[in-house]
Amino acid sequence: AAGKAAAGAAGAGGESYESLPLSDEALTLVATREVSAGEEVLLDYGPRSNAQLLNTHGFALPTTAHEQLQLELRPPADDPLAPLKVRILEAGNLTSPYSLGRSSLSSDSDLLVALRVLAATRDELAGSEQTGDKGRGYARAFEGSPISQGNELRWQEMLARRLRPLLEEREALSTGLEDAALLGASDAARLGAPLAAGAAQRSRGHLELGSRRRLAVVTRASEKLMLRQLLAELEGRRRASDRALAAARAALVADKSEL
């Protein structure tokens, strides 16, 4: 089943079905091309995280592009703009929790919109006549655009502060090295590693428990990998901003020296 999910295609050639008519007693799948007798037909499980796959289908994938977590994200209680920011997000049909995935930082995802609004200052929310958005500076977030350079730096740091504890929480359960050791041992059993004479029957329950544990470890390891990748991306953006700021300062100093 896991291999079928990884392929992610409905039909051997990747074609989708035209319709799913529901009769009184059966669900009929109608192929859009000829399917030979004995030909493998694959089912697309959709863009689900490992936690979702494990919960609904009973398996998890060692690597998946669709890993995600639900992130609780609200303005700090001491933020005087908190009520306003919540109203702005609710008006845009955005409420916590938000889906956190690998593509969350490179698109106009709900999470990215929320981060930009939550990190905004009063002036950034209000906009200005100079920028042509007086009274609705926050609208740029909903349009998928940065509100300001300072806002970008603030939401990135805000998100990094939320992600670090999530990674630490999972690392406390098992480190990367421990994950590798657990998955290696479990894979050996799943691949039929020889057991001592007479041990197969006694170990059957243990192997079943090991299989369940492996799925839990795969799911947790996949979440940790995604969190590490997102934190690395945020750190890369921070360093790029620092370099750009240093270059701007150097150019300013050079201009003054020429004067």
Side-chain angles (χ1 to χ4, degrees):
K4 309 300 189 301
E15 295 84 0
S16 60
Y17 294 106
E18 287 183 342
S19 61
L20 300 174
L22 183 63
S23 69
D24 291 339
E25 298 181 355
L27 182 67
T28 304
L29 304 182
V30 181
T32 59
R33 65 170 181 80
E34 291 293 328
V35 179
S36 304
E39 181 179 349
E40 183 179 37
V41 177
L42 307 181
L43 175 65
D44 185 355
Y45 288 91
R48 296 172 179 250
S49 67
N50 268 333
Q52 292 172 318
L53 289 174
L54 185 57
N55 183 55
T56 58
H57 297 292
F59 68 86
L61 302 172
T63 57
T64 173
H66 305 302
E67 191 59 78
Q68 60 178 271
L69 293 170
Q70 294 302 301
L71 185 67
E72 293 287 346
L73 193 64
R74 296 181 176 84
D78 60 352
D79 183 353
L81 300 175
L84 173 60
K85 292 175 179 178
V86 170
R87 288 199 301 273
I88 289 172
L89 292 175
E90 289 179 345
N93 294 319
L94 298 183
T95 56
S96 186
Y98 299 94
S99 293
L100 170 72
R102 290 181 174 86
S103 62
S104 296
L105 307 187
S106 58
S107 65
D108 57 344
S109 66
D110 289 352
L111 174 62
L112 188 50
V113 174
L115 284 166
R116 283 171 169 157
V117 171
L118 293 177
T121 63
R122 186 180 300 276
D123 288 343
E124 288 171 343
L125 290 176
S128 67
E129 293 182 355
Q130 184 178 1
T131 55
D133 57 3
K134 186 176 181 179
R136 54 191 306 272
Y138 59 84
R140 288 199 292 271
F142 287 89
E143 295 165 356
S145 302
I147 293 179
S148 72
Q149 183 177 3
N151 180 269
E152 291 294 285
L153 295 175
R154 289 194 299 278
W155 74 250
Q156 289 168 22
E157 178 55 32
M158 176 188 296
L159 181 58
R161 288 198 304 267
R162 291 288 288 110
L163 298 189
R164 290 186 193 108
L166 295 179
L167 179 57
E168 291 169 0
E169 176 184 308
R170 286 159 177 77
E171 287 284 2
L173 296 172
S174 63
T175 65
L177 290 176
E178 289 169 340
D179 289 343
L182 287 168
L183 294 177
S186 181
D187 282 341
R190 287 167 59 86
L191 293 172
L195 295 173
Q201 184 66 32
R202 296 193 303 273
S203 300
R204 186 169 301 163
H206 171 72
L207 292 178
E208 176 64 23
L209 178 61
S211 176
R212 293 178 181 178
R213 187 182 184 189
R214 178 183 184 279
L215 293 176
V217 173
V218 167
T219 300
R220 188 165 65 240
S222 180
E223 291 175 350
K224 288 194 290 188
L225 176 62
M226 180 192 70
L227 290 170
R228 290 192 198 98
Q229 290 173 336
L230 289 173
L231 284 168
E233 180 177 348
L234 290 171
E235 177 63 17
R237 292 189 183 198
R238 186 190 65 78
R239 291 181 179 180
S241 297
D242 289 345
R243 289 193 296 270
L245 181 60
R249 287 173 175 170
L252 182 61
V253 170
D255 289 342
K256 288 183 177 180
S257 63
E258 290 178 2
L259 294 177

